[in-house]
Amino acid sequence: ICNEDAFRESCIQRLKSAGYRITKPREVIIQCLSKSKVPLTAPEIWKTISENFSDQSIDKASVYRNLETLTELNIVHRATPDGRYIACHHLHCSSTHHILVQCKECEVVAELDVPKELVAPLFFHTNTQLGFQPDSHLLHMPGVCTDCADKEGKE
């Protein structure tokens, strides 16, 4: 995981490289998600921005549109099936394959880069069984983190 300034700069470079403008709404969404330890829904992102960035007004539709763009560029990930988002702190990775592990107790999410050699058998199996050729994936794994497991063991 990198610091917030380095993450912000990486995001700006990725946006510029893809031909996108650097707008205040994009910047505050990136900042909001980079500070969060847990995945947030679009309404939670909007509420956080409204409460903590009083100098910046953003409407809910802009949050949804910008999340779509940031997701396409792998700046953020849709981290859970119910539509929660988290900043991708692996912007420097060469792989597009990630596993997001989320603690069911404290809701903290950690992101793990997965080498393509480990994913290749899964892609091969998907292709032979379904005739489908995925080009990337994002796997979400709920469970219990070490800190929460230790707390449960001590109680």
Side-chain angles (χ1 to χ4, degrees):
I1 295 178
C2 57
N3 70 43
E4 288 178 36
D5 290 336
F7 176 72
R8 182 183 169 282
E9 287 304 313
S10 294
C11 293
I12 288 171
Q13 290 306 315
R14 181 155 303 167
L15 284 162
K16 285 180 179 177
S17 295
Y20 288 94
R21 293 179 318 141
I22 309 307
T23 63
K24 284 291 183 191
R26 286 186 182 132
E27 285 188 284
V28 294
I29 291 169
I30 288 167
Q31 188 175 359
C32 175
L33 286 172
S34 73
K35 291 177 181 284
S36 181
K37 300 286 187 222
V38 298
L40 301 173
T41 63
E44 289 169 335
I45 293 167
W46 177 82
K47 182 179 180 190
T48 301
I49 291 169
S50 298
E51 291 173 353
N52 298 303
F53 298 90
S54 57
D55 61 329
Q56 178 61 48
S57 103
I58 183 172
D59 60 74
K60 288 181 184 177
S62 291
V63 172
Y64 283 98
R65 278 193 309 273
N66 281 294
L67 282 172
E68 187 175 312
T69 299
L70 297 173
T71 301
E72 287 172 12
L73 295 173
N74 285 320
I75 291 172
V76 302
H77 294 305
R78 184 173 177 183
T80 63
D82 67 348
R84 295 178 184 273
Y85 294 84
I86 191 160
C88 176
H89 289 285
H90 281 95
L91 295 176
H92 60 282
C93 291
S94 59
S95 172
T96 59
H97 311 296
H98 296 90
I99 294 176
L100 296 176
V101 294
Q102 182 177 22
C103 180
K104 295 186 290 187
E105 301 297 320
C106 67
E107 296 187 0
V108 168
V109 172
E111 184 178 12
L112 177 66
D113 183 45
V114 181
K116 64 181 175 185
E117 296 81 14
L118 292 177
V119 180
L122 176 62
F123 284 12
F124 175 78
H125 183 69
T126 305
N127 189 15
T128 58
Q129 294 297 308
L130 300 173
F132 183 79
Q133 297 180 349
D135 55 7
S136 67
H137 81 285
L138 180 64
L139 182 62
H140 175 255
M141 296 176 112
V144 179
C145 71
T146 303
D147 291 342
C148 290
D150 289 346
K151 288 177 191 172
E152 286 179 9
K154 291 179 183 174
E155 293 178 21

